Amino acid sequence: MASKMTLRVQLLVLQALIVFLVTLATGIVAGAFQEQALREAYKDRMQAVAQSIAALPAVQSAFDDADPSAAIQPIAEVIREASDLAYVVVANEDGIRYSHPNPSRIGEKVSTDPSIPLSGEIYVGTQTGTLGTSWRVKVPIRDDEGTVIGTASVGILESELNEEFSANLVWLISAMLAAAVLGVFGSAWVTSVIRRRIYRLEPHQIAALVKNQETTLHGLSEGVITVDDRGRITLVNDAAARFLGTDAAHLDGAPAAEVLGEELATVLREGEAAGRPVIVGSHVLVARSTGSEADDGGVGATLLLRDHTELHDVVRRVEAADAIIAFRQRFGIPKGLSAETLERVSSALAARTDATASEIGDDLDISRVSARRYLEHLASSGRATRSLDYTTKGRPSTRYGSIDAV
């Protein structure tokens, strides 16, 4: 049963679905890359800021002051505002803060574990502190001798990071929607081109045409062979395969020049609209071709083969019969009479003084009508006499007499 949706709708829906899925997958991957790129950009910035703070002589020397925060807090705030970060926190080796965006937090112990930077390593990751969950970098602060004396921690809140990512995501979604719309319009155009190429037929109509073509093609008494421009057979029906004495599957895709034979290949190459008699095995065929040889040696054509074997036999029989008739006419024997029977009738008539057709028929065991035909021929050719007998009842009868007997 044919689908309720037309081929145009099916093609459009399928292509639109593919465009949507590809656009969505591309958007997801692009979003993931964008978020990763955003985090990497902030990580590089935060690491550069943290390392620059840890390397500042003013910060390092302030660790020996009685009130380190007095010198470190102003520097940290200037750098935080200039680098557009959420916080810049400097702490000593005990984790006591010397700077914080909230001055009241100065002098308190940091809320997250500082063991990694205090061990001399750089920490990058997400942790939850006094300002909330943030993406942060922690680096060690070393003195002139290289001993770790504290940590510098900088970061940006995850909420701010998500806001920036969402702002960029708007442009990404807009681009995805634009691509999807363009894809749908492109799908509609492709669908229109495909529909024109198949003459706006529906799948069930195409299937019916193919089925009818196969049925008609293989039901033809004429042989049909189609050859492409490379000289290879692309289509052959059962009749053509039968004429060539092979299987259709064996001919499909085979070089025409190799399987058709020299005479048929010549007809195919040169073209023959009127038809040319060709003998293939026991078949007398009339071959017609619609194509001609191209400059590159290729042949693209259709070869039609009509079997005239039976007609040829009939013609031969007719010619033989005409020859017999001519022979008989040459010797004065009309069509339908045999010389042997004529001789028997003449002998039977000579044995009598005269006789009727019935009497001769009884003598030779042939019908009265046949006897009369032979007697009439003898009378008309002057070899017998013909007379009417009025002694019989009813209509007079015809009696025949032999000239020789007379």
Side-chain angles (χ1 to χ4, degrees):
M1 183 175 63
S3 174
K4 293 182 178 179
M5 287 197 300
T6 63
L7 180 61
R8 179 179 183 181
V9 175
Q10 292 181 47
L11 289 174
L12 186 58
V13 169
L14 287 174
Q15 291 181 92
L17 181 61
I18 292 172
V19 169
F20 172 76
L21 292 177
V22 171
T23 304
L24 180 62
T26 304
I28 292 174
V29 173
F33 276 113
Q34 187 175 29
E35 182 185 18
Q36 185 66 27
L38 183 63
R39 286 184 176 275
E40 287 295 322
Y42 268 105
K43 185 195 79 168
D44 294 341
R45 187 200 304 179
M46 292 187 298
Q47 189 169 332
V49 170
Q51 288 175 336
S52 65
I53 292 174
L56 284 175
V59 173
Q60 294 175 358
S61 61
F63 273 74
D64 297 327
D65 297 344
D67 184 12
S69 61
I72 295 176
Q73 172 69 2
I75 296 174
E77 285 300 295
V78 170
I79 293 176
R80 179 183 70 82
E81 292 176 357
S83 57
D84 194 23
L85 296 174
Y87 64 88
V88 174
V89 174
V90 177
N92 62 15
E93 57 185 351
D94 296 325
I96 302 302
R97 298 188 187 97
Y98 289 158
S99 67
H100 194 275
N102 184 0
S104 62
R105 295 287 185 177
I106 298 174
E108 296 179 357
K109 192 171 184 177
V110 294
S111 58
T112 57
D113 182 17
S115 59
I116 294 178
L118 289 176
S119 66
E121 301 293 331
I122 297 176
Y123 170 81
V124 179
T126 300
Q127 291 180 327
T128 302
T130 57
L131 298 178
T133 303
S134 61
W135 174 248
R136 62 185 64 188
V137 173
K138 297 179 183 180
V139 300
I141 299 177
R142 302 175 187 271
D143 59 14
D144 295 337
E145 297 178 356
T147 303
V148 177
I149 58 176
T151 63
S153 176
V154 300
I156 182 171
L157 295 176
E158 285 286 347
S159 58
E160 295 180 2
L161 196 64
N162 291 335
E163 285 180 5
E164 185 170 347
F165 173 70
S166 298
N168 294 333
L169 197 62
V170 172
W171 292 101
L172 179 61
I173 293 175
S174 300
M176 289 170 58
L177 290 175
V181 171
L182 290 176
V184 170
F185 279 107
S187 299
W189 177 76
V190 170
T191 299
S192 178
V193 171
I194 294 175
R195 289 274 292 160
R196 286 198 300 269
R197 292 288 178 87
I198 60 174
Y199 301 100
R200 304 187 182 278
L201 295 175
E202 294 299 320
H204 67 278
Q205 294 174 319
I206 296 174
L209 283 176
V210 172
K211 185 176 180 179
N212 291 338
Q213 180 186 8
E214 288 292 319
T215 302
T216 303
L217 183 65
H218 293 287
L220 287 174
S221 59
E222 280 192 348
V224 180
I225 299 176
T226 300
V227 180
D228 62 15
D229 53 4
R230 296 177 301 167
R232 291 191 173 273
I233 296 175
T234 57
L235 184 146
V236 58
N237 68 346
D238 296 339
R242 185 174 67 255
F243 296 155
L244 297 175
T246 185
D247 187 71
H250 175 70
L251 294 173
D252 191 15
E258 296 180 7
V259 298
L260 293 183
E262 184 178 353
E263 288 187 283
L264 288 179
T266 301
V267 174
L268 180 68
R269 183 173 58 254
E270 297 177 355
E272 182 65 54
R276 183 185 303 178
V278 177
I279 297 177
V280 179
S282 61
H283 297 280
V284 178
L285 306 177
V286 174
R288 291 187 293 126
S289 173
T290 60
S292 59
E293 187 174 11
D295 295 337
D296 58 359
V299 179
T302 298
L303 184 66
L304 302 178
L305 305 175
R306 177 171 293 178
D307 190 4
H308 280 210
T309 304
E310 294 182 1
L311 180 60
H312 181 69
D313 291 341
V314 171
V315 170
R316 288 170 54 188
R317 293 192 187 99
V318 170
E319 289 176 348
D322 288 342
I324 293 173
I325 292 172
F327 176 79
R328 288 176 175 175
Q329 289 177 345
R330 181 180 178 183
F331 290 94
I333 302 175
K335 182 178 179 181
L337 302 183
S338 69
E340 181 182 356
T341 305
L342 180 63
E343 186 61 31
R344 291 177 60 201
V345 171
S346 179
S347 299
L349 182 61
R352 291 172 172 268
T353 304
D354 59 7
T356 63
S358 298
E359 293 170 346
I360 296 298
D362 293 339
D363 290 345
L364 301 179
D365 197 21
I366 61 176
S367 69
R368 180 177 59 84
V369 175
S370 296
R372 178 172 292 173
R373 289 186 62 195
Y374 283 98
L375 291 169
E376 286 292 329
H377 171 67
L378 291 173
S380 61
S381 60
R383 296 174 59 187
T385 61
R386 183 193 304 113
S387 62
L388 296 177
D389 184 7
Y390 293 95
T391 62
T392 60
K393 295 181 179 180
R395 56 189 296 183
S397 62
T398 302
R399 301 190 69 83
Y400 302 90
S402 175
I403 296 293
D404 296 334
V406 176

